[in-house]
Amino acid sequence: MSKIEVAKSAGFCFGVKRAIDMVYDVIGKESPLYSYGQLIHNQTVTDDLAEKGVQIVDSLDGLDGGTLIIRSHGVGETLYEEAKAHQMKILDGTCPFVENIHQIVHKEKEDGKGIIIVGDGSHPEVMGINGWCGNSAIIIGSPEEAETVEIPEKNSYSVVVQTTFRQNKYEHILEILKKRGISFTANQTICSATEKRQTEAEELSQNVDRMIVIGGKNSSNTQKLAEICKKNCRNTVHIETICDLVLNNLKKGDRIGITAGASTPPAIIKEVIVTMSEALENAVQNLEGSEEVTFEQMLEESLVTLHTGDVVKGTVIQVSNEEVSVNLGFKSDGIISRGEFSSDPSVIPSKTVQPGDEIEVFVVRVNDGDGNVVLSRKRIEAQKGMEELETAYNEKTVVTGTVTQIVKGGLIAVVNGVNVFIPSSQVSNRFIEDLNVFKGQDLEFNIIEMDRVKRRIIGGRKALVEQEIAAKRAALFETIQAGTKITGTVSRLTDFGAFVDLGGVDGLIHISEMSWGRISNPREVLKEGQTVEVFVLDVDKEKGKISLSLKDADMNPWKLAVDKYAAGTVVEGKVVRMVPFGAFVELEPGVDGLVHISQIANKHVVKPEDELKVGEVINVKVLEVNPEQKKISLSKRQAETDEAPETEE
């Protein structure tokens, strides 16, 4: 006989229950009610609150008055001030454990300490904590990040941790920080209830055949429970409601364990237990022994038995208004709505299936209230897509996905109906400032991380891009030669020059090679993204360096300097630089001459600055030209002497 065992601490934690009770207590008493973000990670509760008038907001823009509900995750300090400015009453459901962390980081920040938060940087709790130290915290989400994250030198740091973080993972991160020589004080802020729930889940999953983890797919603490159980019990599934559970996979004699995240209402846990119990009872029920078999009994026995979560085959009866009717051999027909037909919204059911076609479907609900079976073809697609992605992950093959969303921290690409997250650090081998350029594009990438339990699939293009660049780099170094002219794109500007992408390899134009004239900043000549023709000065294949120049040797102004600035001629120039022994005067861009201090005036000059100013335009006489050494000797004194007779006349 099968046995179902439920973890003692499954379901609502103290902080979540407190927040939920506070909200239900004011419903009908205060209006309007606004929840800053989803109150808890549970769609059933969220939908119920919405029906009762609780509106979810992520900004206070346009709001004036009403009651603002702060969820148990907490928020940053500035939101309280903003709510006050909007004349809103606050119903603060912040978990006391989280509020304690707010107080710690606020005080430590005021005392001059740096703040390090260990946790998921995209989680509302961590974002709220960061808001209590002026959003100045360094956030570390994994041991890998602890190894590489940049931590500025500071006298001391104060470390806090997300309440639902794994204890052993936190300890591992602290050890890494110690090895890096970071001076810090560690605060133990993991919620005791969370630790207890995770311990129970670990013990239970070691002694069952199947493990059911109930809770929101975007709930951090539920994801961690599923992760723990998966390590001990291979047959672990993470569901939000009974609709996500494939009941026909249950077997007679199975030992089944159930746990639930802190945001899972007792009613959902109870529904799962009752439905599973009924399914197991039906599986072992024996109808033999009846002395009389009526026609109705014979009809019932001839029909298939369906349960929510079953995967079955059926025959298409008709397609009407893009809604597909399916014969399942059940007492009622099944219905696939347009939204549940495919994960691709552009797919039209009437052009995809015809009456008589056999299709595989997922049973969402056995009775929709009108006697119909609610079906989904989209979920079958997702399951198959998941299997294909798992194969690609195991075999390290490349997949192609369409970028559908730009989200915080990266991209969402859809591969065979399954969403894959590509972190911004994995989009390319270099930082991409605006990820919107990828929206709608088909990208090739590898699956670098996959967890079917948490439905966490991460893609990466960085390695592919680096392989492609390596190939281009090798090809370029085979052909490029000093003295040739080549076209490239300015990829990056610095104070000392510009890097130009030559097709997989960057070459450097030093600031001295950008103009024959004098420039103080590369941005005076170039801008990022600009296409330029450059001259190759030098190629170092061993070091992988290429030196470039914008200066055309044929346009070198010194080639014409001997004829243009013949000795004895008087020319006009601009003072560009002072030195103790004289002043440099620019005759044209790229050609400077020196007026020695003895040639500045018809009197003794102590400092050039006493007679000249940078930027001043003066007449000078050319004394000597040396184009090989790029030197011209000039005299302001003699130029004035030559002009003097004319002035007297």
Side-chain angles (χ1 to χ4, degrees), residues 241-260:
T241 67
I242 187 62
C243 296
D244 300 328
L245 186 62
V246 181
L247 293 171
N248 57 0
N249 284 344
L250 303 178
K251 297 178 182 178
K252 177 183 176 181
D254 276 350
R255 293 168 300 165
I256 302 169
I258 297 177
T259 188

PDB file of all heavy atoms in Angstrom, residues 241-260:
ATOM      1  N   THR A 241       0.464  23.710  -8.406  1.00  0.00           N
ATOM      2  CA  THR A 241      -0.838  23.191  -7.981  1.00  0.00           C
ATOM      3  C   THR A 241      -0.953  21.751  -8.454  1.00  0.00           C
ATOM      4  O   THR A 241      -0.077  21.248  -9.171  1.00  0.00           O
ATOM      5  CB  THR A 241      -2.006  24.012  -8.572  1.00  0.00           C
ATOM      6  OG1 THR A 241      -2.018  23.822  -9.995  1.00  0.00           O
ATOM      7  CG2 THR A 241      -1.861  25.497  -8.256  1.00  0.00           C
ATOM      8  N   ILE A 242      -2.038  21.111  -8.106  1.00  0.00           N
ATOM      9  CA  ILE A 242      -2.263  19.717  -8.512  1.00  0.00           C
ATOM     10  C   ILE A 242      -2.314  19.579 -10.026  1.00  0.00           C
ATOM     11  O   ILE A 242      -2.002  18.528 -10.579  1.00  0.00           O
ATOM     12  CB  ILE A 242      -3.585  19.179  -7.869  1.00  0.00           C
ATOM     13  CG1 ILE A 242      -3.741  17.675  -8.146  1.00  0.00           C
ATOM     14  CG2 ILE A 242      -4.776  19.961  -8.364  1.00  0.00           C
ATOM     15  CD1 ILE A 242      -2.663  16.818  -7.576  1.00  0.00           C
ATOM     16  N   CYS A 243      -2.636  20.694 -10.736  1.00  0.00           N
ATOM     17  CA  CYS A 243      -2.722  20.662 -12.199  1.00  0.00           C
ATOM     18  C   CYS A 243      -1.377  20.338 -12.842  1.00  0.00           C
ATOM     19  O   CYS A 243      -1.325  19.864 -13.980  1.00  0.00           O
ATOM     20  CB  CYS A 243      -3.231  21.998 -12.742  1.00  0.00           C
ATOM     21  SG  CYS A 243      -4.916  22.382 -12.233  1.00  0.00           S
ATOM     22  N   ASP A 244      -0.274  20.592 -12.137  1.00  0.00           N
ATOM     23  CA  ASP A 244       1.055  20.365 -12.702  1.00  0.00           C
ATOM     24  C   ASP A 244       1.564  18.945 -12.458  1.00  0.00           C
ATOM     25  O   ASP A 244       2.653  18.602 -12.914  1.00  0.00           O
ATOM     26  CB  ASP A 244       2.062  21.348 -12.081  1.00  0.00           C
ATOM     27  CG  ASP A 244       1.696  22.790 -12.347  1.00  0.00           C
ATOM     28  OD1 ASP A 244       1.115  23.050 -13.414  1.00  0.00           O
ATOM     29  OD2 ASP A 244       1.963  23.639 -11.484  1.00  0.00           O
ATOM     30  N   LEU A 245       0.788  18.131 -11.741  1.00  0.00           N
ATOM     31  CA  LEU A 245       1.263  16.806 -11.363  1.00  0.00           C
ATOM     32  C   LEU A 245       0.714  15.747 -12.313  1.00  0.00           C
ATOM     33  O   LEU A 245      -0.489  15.668 -12.545  1.00  0.00           O
ATOM     34  CB  LEU A 245       0.845  16.488  -9.924  1.00  0.00           C
ATOM     35  CG  LEU A 245       1.388  15.181  -9.321  1.00  0.00           C
ATOM     36  CD1 LEU A 245       2.903  15.204  -9.264  1.00  0.00           C
ATOM     37  CD2 LEU A 245       0.817  14.971  -7.929  1.00  0.00           C
ATOM     38  N   VAL A 246       1.614  14.949 -12.891  1.00  0.00           N
ATOM     39  CA  VAL A 246       1.208  13.837 -13.759  1.00  0.00           C
ATOM     40  C   VAL A 246       0.885  12.639 -12.870  1.00  0.00           C
ATOM     41  O   VAL A 246       1.776  11.915 -12.419  1.00  0.00           O
ATOM     42  CB  VAL A 246       2.330  13.484 -14.766  1.00  0.00           C
ATOM     43  CG1 VAL A 246       1.875  12.352 -15.678  1.00  0.00           C
ATOM     44  CG2 VAL A 246       2.710  14.706 -15.581  1.00  0.00           C
ATOM     45  N   LEU A 247      -0.416  12.423 -12.616  1.00  0.00           N
ATOM     46  CA  LEU A 247      -0.833  11.423 -11.631  1.00  0.00           C
ATOM     47  C   LEU A 247      -0.666   9.991 -12.119  1.00  0.00           C
ATOM     48  O   LEU A 247      -0.514   9.069 -11.319  1.00  0.00           O
ATOM     49  CB  LEU A 247      -2.295  11.665 -11.236  1.00  0.00           C
ATOM     50  CG  LEU A 247      -2.537  12.970 -10.456  1.00  0.00           C
ATOM     51  CD1 LEU A 247      -4.022  13.224 -10.321  1.00  0.00           C
ATOM     52  CD2 LEU A 247      -1.890  12.923  -9.093  1.00  0.00           C
ATOM     53  N   ASN A 248      -0.717   9.794 -13.448  1.00  0.00           N
ATOM     54  CA  ASN A 248      -0.609   8.402 -13.902  1.00  0.00           C
ATOM     55  C   ASN A 248       0.827   7.874 -13.826  1.00  0.00           C
ATOM     56  O   ASN A 248       1.114   6.770 -14.256  1.00  0.00           O
ATOM     57  CB  ASN A 248      -1.171   8.242 -15.325  1.00  0.00           C
ATOM     58  CG  ASN A 248      -0.492   9.164 -16.330  1.00  0.00           C
ATOM     59  OD1 ASN A 248       0.387   9.927 -15.972  1.00  0.00           O
ATOM     60  ND2 ASN A 248      -0.915   9.082 -17.585  1.00  0.00           N
ATOM     61  N   ASN A 249       1.753   8.665 -13.309  1.00  0.00           N
ATOM     62  CA  ASN A 249       3.112   8.176 -13.051  1.00  0.00           C
ATOM     63  C   ASN A 249       3.226   7.518 -11.680  1.00  0.00           C
ATOM     64  O   ASN A 249       4.219   6.872 -11.376  1.00  0.00           O
ATOM     65  CB  ASN A 249       4.116   9.330 -13.124  1.00  0.00           C
ATOM     66  CG  ASN A 249       4.407   9.731 -14.558  1.00  0.00           C
ATOM     67  OD1 ASN A 249       4.105   8.979 -15.471  1.00  0.00           O
ATOM     68  ND2 ASN A 249       4.980  10.913 -14.742  1.00  0.00           N
ATOM     69  N   LEU A 250       2.193   7.712 -10.810  1.00  0.00           N
ATOM     70  CA  LEU A 250       2.218   7.131  -9.474  1.00  0.00           C
ATOM     71  C   LEU A 250       2.003   5.627  -9.544  1.00  0.00           C
ATOM     72  O   LEU A 250       1.213   5.134 -10.348  1.00  0.00           O
ATOM     73  CB  LEU A 250       1.146   7.787  -8.600  1.00  0.00           C
ATOM     74  CG  LEU A 250       1.237   9.316  -8.461  1.00  0.00           C
ATOM     75  CD1 LEU A 250       0.085   9.824  -7.621  1.00  0.00           C
ATOM     76  CD2 LEU A 250       2.567   9.718  -7.856  1.00  0.00           C
ATOM     77  N   LYS A 251       2.696   4.914  -8.690  1.00  0.00           N
ATOM     78  CA  LYS A 251       2.603   3.454  -8.706  1.00  0.00           C
ATOM     79  C   LYS A 251       2.196   2.927  -7.337  1.00  0.00           C
ATOM     80  O   LYS A 251       2.472   3.541  -6.314  1.00  0.00           O
ATOM     81  CB  LYS A 251       3.958   2.856  -9.111  1.00  0.00           C
ATOM     82  CG  LYS A 251       4.399   3.245 -10.513  1.00  0.00           C
ATOM     83  CD  LYS A 251       5.767   2.664 -10.823  1.00  0.00           C
ATOM     84  CE  LYS A 251       6.243   3.082 -12.204  1.00  0.00           C
ATOM     85  NZ  LYS A 251       7.603   2.565 -12.500  1.00  0.00           N
ATOM     86  N   LYS A 252       1.556   1.772  -7.384  1.00  0.00           N
ATOM     87  CA  LYS A 252       1.156   1.104  -6.148  1.00  0.00           C
ATOM     88  C   LYS A 252       2.402   0.789  -5.311  1.00  0.00           C
ATOM     89  O   LYS A 252       3.397   0.290  -5.811  1.00  0.00           O
ATOM     90  CB  LYS A 252       0.414  -0.189  -6.500  1.00  0.00           C
ATOM     91  CG  LYS A 252      -0.002  -1.016  -5.293  1.00  0.00           C
ATOM     92  CD  LYS A 252      -0.657  -2.307  -5.743  1.00  0.00           C
ATOM     93  CE  LYS A 252      -0.994  -3.189  -4.535  1.00  0.00           C
ATOM     94  NZ  LYS A 252      -1.600  -4.466  -4.962  1.00  0.00           N
ATOM     95  N   GLY A 253       2.338   1.100  -4.047  1.00  0.00           N
ATOM     96  CA  GLY A 253       3.442   0.810  -3.132  1.00  0.00           C
ATOM     97  C   GLY A 253       4.468   1.918  -3.019  1.00  0.00           C
ATOM     98  O   GLY A 253       5.419   1.808  -2.240  1.00  0.00           O
ATOM     99  N   ASP A 254       4.283   2.995  -3.807  1.00  0.00           N
ATOM    100  CA  ASP A 254       5.219   4.121  -3.720  1.00  0.00           C
ATOM    101  C   ASP A 254       5.179   4.766  -2.334  1.00  0.00           C
ATOM    102  O   ASP A 254       4.106   4.954  -1.766  1.00  0.00           O
ATOM    103  CB  ASP A 254       4.862   5.201  -4.757  1.00  0.00           C
ATOM    104  CG  ASP A 254       5.447   4.887  -6.129  1.00  0.00           C
ATOM    105  OD1 ASP A 254       6.274   3.964  -6.220  1.00  0.00           O
ATOM    106  OD2 ASP A 254       5.072   5.578  -7.102  1.00  0.00           O
ATOM    107  N   ARG A 255       6.363   5.110  -1.819  1.00  0.00           N
ATOM    108  CA  ARG A 255       6.443   5.953  -0.628  1.00  0.00           C
ATOM    109  C   ARG A 255       6.616   7.379  -1.136  1.00  0.00           C
ATOM    110  O   ARG A 255       7.596   7.681  -1.813  1.00  0.00           O
ATOM    111  CB  ARG A 255       7.624   5.547   0.236  1.00  0.00           C
ATOM    112  CG  ARG A 255       7.490   4.151   0.869  1.00  0.00           C
ATOM    113  CD  ARG A 255       8.817   3.718   1.469  1.00  0.00           C
ATOM    114  NE  ARG A 255       9.848   3.655   0.429  1.00  0.00           N
ATOM    115  CZ  ARG A 255      11.153   3.599   0.666  1.00  0.00           C
ATOM    116  NH1 ARG A 255      11.598   3.601   1.916  1.00  0.00           N
ATOM    117  NH2 ARG A 255      12.024   3.542  -0.320  1.00  0.00           N
ATOM    118  N   ILE A 256       5.661   8.237  -0.803  1.00  0.00           N
ATOM    119  CA  ILE A 256       5.634   9.587  -1.373  1.00  0.00           C
ATOM    120  C   ILE A 256       5.813  10.628  -0.273  1.00  0.00           C
ATOM    121  O   ILE A 256       5.117  10.607   0.742  1.00  0.00           O
ATOM    122  CB  ILE A 256       4.301   9.839  -2.114  1.00  0.00           C
ATOM    123  CG1 ILE A 256       4.115   8.794  -3.223  1.00  0.00           C
ATOM    124  CG2 ILE A 256       4.261  11.249  -2.698  1.00  0.00           C
ATOM    125  CD1 ILE A 256       2.735   8.798  -3.835  1.00  0.00           C
ATOM    126  N   GLY A 257       6.772  11.534  -0.490  1.00  0.00           N
ATOM    127  CA  GLY A 257       7.015  12.625   0.456  1.00  0.00           C
ATOM    128  C   GLY A 257       6.523  13.939  -0.118  1.00  0.00           C
ATOM    129  O   GLY A 257       6.618  14.170  -1.322  1.00  0.00           O
ATOM    130  N   ILE A 258       5.975  14.787   0.733  1.00  0.00           N
ATOM    131  CA  ILE A 258       5.466  16.093   0.293  1.00  0.00           C
ATOM    132  C   ILE A 258       6.014  17.183   1.198  1.00  0.00           C
ATOM    133  O   ILE A 258       5.983  17.072   2.424  1.00  0.00           O
ATOM    134  CB  ILE A 258       3.923  16.143   0.326  1.00  0.00           C
ATOM    135  CG1 ILE A 258       3.328  15.126  -0.654  1.00  0.00           C
ATOM    136  CG2 ILE A 258       3.420  17.543  -0.008  1.00  0.00           C
ATOM    137  CD1 ILE A 258       1.810  15.083  -0.624  1.00  0.00           C
ATOM    138  N   THR A 259       6.545  18.230   0.571  1.00  0.00           N
ATOM    139  CA  THR A 259       6.920  19.440   1.308  1.00  0.00           C
ATOM    140  C   THR A 259       6.446  20.630   0.497  1.00  0.00           C
ATOM    141  O   THR A 259       6.087  20.486  -0.673  1.00  0.00           O
ATOM    142  CB  THR A 259       8.440  19.522   1.563  1.00  0.00           C
ATOM    143  OG1 THR A 259       8.708  20.631   2.437  1.00  0.00           O
ATOM    144  CG2 THR A 259       9.219  19.713   0.277  1.00  0.00           C
ATOM    145  N   ALA A 260       6.432  21.804   1.108  1.00  0.00           N
ATOM    146  CA  ALA A 260       5.931  22.987   0.418  1.00  0.00           C
ATOM    147  C   ALA A 260       6.692  24.220   0.872  1.00  0.00           C
ATOM    148  O   ALA A 260       7.166  24.298   2.006  1.00  0.00           O
ATOM    149  CB  ALA A 260       4.433  23.173   0.690  1.00  0.00           C
TER     150      ALA A 260
END
